Structure formats: structure tokens, C-alpha cells
Amino acid sequence: APKKREGFSSRKVFIFAAIGSAVGLGNIWRFPYVAYDNGGGAFMIPYLVALLTAGLPFLFFDYVIGHRARASSPLAFRRLNRKTEFIGWWHMGINFIIAVYYAAILAWAARYVIYSFTHEWGDDPATFLMTDFLQVSDPAAGVTFDFVPGILIPIMIIWVLLAVVMSLGVQKGVGLANIFFIPLLVVMFIGLVAYSLTLNGAWTGLDALFTPDWSALTRPEVWVAAYGQIFFSLSIGFGIMITYASYLKKKTDLTGTGAVVGFANSGFELLAGIGVFAALGFMATAAGIGVSEVATSGIGLAFIAFPTIISQAPGGTLIGVLFFSSLLFAGFTSIISIVEVIVAGIEDKFNLGRVRSTLLVVLPIAIISTLLMATTSGLFVLDILDNFVNQFGILAAGLVSIFVVAYLVRALPTLRDHINARSSWKMGKLWMILLAGVTPLILGYSLVNTFITLMNEPYEGYPAEMLNIFGWGMVVVLLVAAVIISLLPWPKTSRASLTPPA
Ligand code: PHE
Ligand code: NA
């Protein structure tokens, strides 16, 4: 008989876990620059519009699919309509890819917590990162298996810790880890932001971030950036919120809970914007240049700009420890949610216990992640996987799932009724219009745009062979594999029942 399913012990634990998933690298190293680059203070308007017209509606869509079926993504879609099962397997593939490379960034952040004490990077953090730390090889040489010990050791530790958390289960592992890390993250991050505001030049940075450029509102790409940020930042559309919501108690206010998570995530983005630009303002002032010359995002911000700031600012070590620990904790609670999607899916399909499912999932991912990321070719494999899975995996899966559910199996009214039977904030026609009308238009427009750009010029000028394997090839394999797997029968003993357990 199917094994009994676990869940979160309370709505509070769910909220911590959902915030833990949502608050990640996207908040800390992506949002500040996206806002700065797309109108500064004026960006708040498209950003809020995107949150209200697509972010929250899609978040509720994820919640209701998981909560109604009380199942992992593949089984949840199977229970909605057998024809939609492939979407769940697609989600599994997307999370597999993200897990492989996300662990590497956590490994780097862990190293840089330690380097913050020694200022290991000397006076040239860029050269240190590429040559000494990552030992990046020439992309033209393809994938190498030259291991870099400085990454190998921390990435293995990350995977062992993840295996422990996951095998402890939904409540004692995932739930408690988030109850522990999220308050810690909030305290450390507020400390970092407060301290950054005391640095010389902080206000120049804030001025650069918040001065509104109202003309940005007339540019379509600014709106696309806002929707893109909201989708990425809320972790919606690829199975994570479906899985977490499946662990909520039967009688839970879904929309009220979702609104708390959504606004908490945005609050953290705003906080990160203030902290990051205060620090960049210091860096620019110290160098006697404009903020525009130092403003960046992603790896360049975290592993080049911040080391520079850490070396130059009074109390730099404290800034470093707070900043890189924040990255590490925010990222760790996100990767927990990524791996949970896969562990839950395998548990459902094969009717496995928690520990077995964890081993079956974490062991292969950890090995692939270590082989691909802890070598001298790790950086560009990461860069390609990240770009393609975000652009085509996540956006396309979001678009297809809405389209299939709204138009092919016409399930939106059923989902709306499920939400409204237990939520304080009722969803009506407007929710369905936003979901079935506005969201697909925006996702479709972004997809076509990215596709054209990537066809016209190879991403970052990487060799075609690398892009064909880790970019286009990966994207196609994910979709094809999902469709094939969805056609395979379920073991008789599994939780394949089309109705959720009573
Ligand atoms: N939503 C997270 C962020 O904003 C990122 C994330 C990506 C989380 C993928 C889970 C899965 O940083
Ligand atoms: Na986020």
C-alpha cells in the first residue's frame, strides 16, 4: 500500500520554508542591479505591477495544484489530468539542472566567508577569482576533468549537509532547517545593510539606485525585466511551490499565506538593493569614480566587487562574513527546495521512504554536480546551464503549464473553487484572466525575444559545441525526457492513485 505522506506541522513552518526558497541569490545579487538598470526608483512601478498581475496569481496557481492533489509535481499534474503529467517531469528536470550548478555557488560563498578574514584576493580580486580560485580553463578546450581542490572540498560538504537535511524529512529536515536559517539570515542581513549605510559614500549609492528615470516606463524591455525578476524571484512555475504547498494542512488559507510569502520576498529584495548600493557607493567614492562604473550583478558583484569593498572598508572582514554567510544561507534554503521537488517526485513514483528516496536522488546529483562544477571548466558550464535553464526551462515550463491547464484541460474553474473553499482572499474572474491572458502573453513575448537574441549571437561567445550540449541540447533533452517518462506506467504499489489520500 502507498506509504503515508509527511507534511509541515503548521502554516508557520510552511511560510518559513516558502520564504527560504524564494529568498535566494536572486534577491541579493540580481534584484539590485535589475532595478538600477531599468529605471531606478521608477522600476518600482513595473515591479509592483508584475507582482500583482503575474507573480501572486501564478504563486496561487502553484499552491492550488500542489495543495489540491497533495502530491509532488508529477503526481499532482497526473491527478489534475493525466495528459498534464509531463509538466511535472519537466519540473523535475529543471530542478535537477539547477541543483547541479547552484551547489557550486554555495561552495564558493562558503570559501569566501573564510577568505574574508585573510583578504586572500590581495589587491586584484578579479584575477584571484578566475586564475587562482576557479582556475578557469579556456572554453574552447571543452569540459575538463582537472579538479580544483578549493571547490571540490566545499561542494562535497554542501552535498553531505543537503543529504542530511533531506533525509530527515519534510518537517524535521526541510522545515526545521528553514526555521533555523531564515531568522539568522534576516538578522545578519539587516546588520549588513545597517553597517553599509554608515560607510562613506553610501548615500551616493542609494541616490544612484533610487533616482527615478521615468522614461524607463515607456520601454518594453523594462517591463519584461520586471516580470522576469518576479518569476525568478518567487520560485514560481517549476514545481517548487507545488511541492511545498502539498505539505500544507487541508484547511489552509492559501491566498493569505501566499501574499505573506510574496511580500516578504519583495521586502528582502528592497533591503538587498539598499545594502548592495550603499556598499557600491562606498566603492565608487573611494575610487573617485561614478557608481555606474562599479554597478554590476551576479558573480561579478559577489566575488569581485564585494572583495574590493571588503579590502578597503573599515570593518571589511565583518562585511565579508555577513555578506557571504547571507549568500550561503539564502542559497542553502533555496537549494533545499530545489532538491525537495526531486526527492518528493521519486518518493511518489516508487513509493519509497524518505531516506531511500534521498539517497537515490542526492547521490547521483552530487556526483554529477561535483564532476561538472569542481573542475577548471566549471564556471562556463555553470554559466551556460544557468542562462538556458532560466530562459527556456523556467519561462517555457511556466507558459506551457498555464496554456495546457487553462485551454487544453480547462481546469481553472476547478482550481479556483478549491482556493476559494479555504482562503480569505477570494479569487474570481480577474485571477483567471491574469493567469490565462496576461501571463502567457508576457512569458511568450520574453521567450521569443530571448530566442531571437540567442540565435543572432552565441551566448557570451562560447564555442558552439558547448552551447549545443549544455544550452540547447540540455533544454531539448529536458522536454523530450519529460514527455517520455510521463508515458511510462506507474508501479502498482506507488501512490499513483488518481485521487488524493483522504
Ligand atoms: N527564487 C530564488 C531567488 O530569488 C532563486 C531560486 C531559483 C530558488 C531556483 C529556487 C530555485 O534567488
Ligand atoms: Na527571491
Side-chain angles (χ1 to χ4, degrees), residues 30-372:
R30 195 171 186 276
F31 173 81
Y33 185 77
V34 170
Y36 168 78
D37 199 32
N38 288 283
F43 183 71
M44 297 307 139
I45 292 173
Y47 178 81
L48 262 181
V49 170
L51 175 66
L52 295 175
T53 61
L56 292 180
F58 208 127
L59 187 65
F60 301 157
F61 175 76
D62 272 357
Y63 278 10
V64 67
I65 289 187
H67 188 257
R68 179 178 168 276
R70 272 175 300 133
S72 63
S73 192
L75 184 53
F77 277 104
R78 183 182 165 87
R79 283 178 176 165
L80 185 69
N81 186 304
R82 282 186 196 221
K83 285 183 216 137
T84 66
E85 188 184 320
F86 77 98
I87 299 169
W89 294 107
W90 198 2
H91 289 165
M92 298 274 279
I94 290 172
N95 285 284
F96 168 81
I97 298 292
I98 301 178
V100 163
Y101 72 80
Y102 221 73
I105 303 171
L106 301 189
W108 306 349
R111 271 272 146 187
Y112 271 64
V113 173
I114 297 166
Y115 290 166
S116 296
F117 289 96
T118 57
H119 299 186
E120 199 79 11
W121 42 75
D123 48 21
D124 190 355
T127 309
F128 174 80
L129 174 70
M130 303 300 276
T131 314
D132 302 283
F133 180 58
L134 299 177
Q135 301 175 23
V136 181
S137 55
D138 181 359
V143 173
T144 74
F145 288 100
D146 299 333
F147 285 97
V148 182
I151 312 168
L152 184 64
I153 293 163
I155 205 172
M156 285 169 63
I157 297 176
I158 299 276
W159 279 113
V160 170
L161 290 177
L162 266 173
V164 172
V165 170
M166 302 316 291
S167 61
L168 286 172
V170 174
Q171 170 63 25
K172 292 208 179 94
V174 174
L176 289 191
N178 279 285
I179 296 270
F180 176 75
F181 281 117
I182 291 305
L184 190 62
L185 169 65
V186 170
V187 170
M188 292 179 74
F189 205 74
I190 289 180
L192 174 68
V193 174
Y195 188 74
S196 303
L197 286 174
T198 68
L199 295 174
N200 184 32
W203 298 96
T204 322
L206 294 193
D207 221 39
L209 172 61
F210 287 113
T211 304
D213 165 16
W214 298 111
S215 73
L217 300 184
T218 60
R219 293 200 297 270
E221 67 272 17
V222 168
W223 291 83
V224 169
Y227 280 89
Q229 175 63 23
I230 285 291
F231 268 88
F232 180 80
S233 191
L234 281 175
S235 316
I236 44 183
F238 51 104
I240 289 181
M241 290 302 165
I242 295 178
T243 310
Y244 272 6
S246 77
Y247 300 133
L248 274 167
K249 297 234 159 66
K250 260 188 167 176
K251 289 205 180 85
T252 304
D253 174 351
L254 294 178
T255 52
T257 306
V260 171
V261 173
F263 285 108
N265 177 61
S266 291
F268 203 99
E269 300 208 297
L270 205 58
L271 197 63
I274 295 172
V276 164
F277 270 82
L280 289 173
F282 162 79
M283 183 177 166
T285 307
I289 52 182
V291 175
S292 65
E293 288 181 64
V294 296
T296 57
S297 64
I299 292 171
L301 173 74
F303 297 101
I304 298 175
F306 260 89
T308 309
I309 294 162
I310 292 161
S311 289
Q312 293 175 354
T317 296
L318 177 70
I319 298 178
V321 171
L322 291 178
F323 177 76
F324 289 114
S325 307
S326 296
L327 271 191
L328 183 58
F329 297 160
F332 192 69
T333 49
S334 292
I335 200 172
I336 287 176
S337 70
I338 295 167
V339 179
E340 179 59 34
V341 173
I342 315 173
V343 171
I346 296 296
E347 246 182 292
D348 278 351
K349 174 95 191 189
F350 299 107
N351 192 32
L352 292 177
R354 188 70 192 189
V355 175
R356 286 190 180 197
S357 178
T358 299
L359 284 180
L360 204 63
V361 168
V362 170
L363 216 57
I365 306 184
I367 292 172
I368 294 171
S369 169
T370 307
L371 287 179
L372 281 178

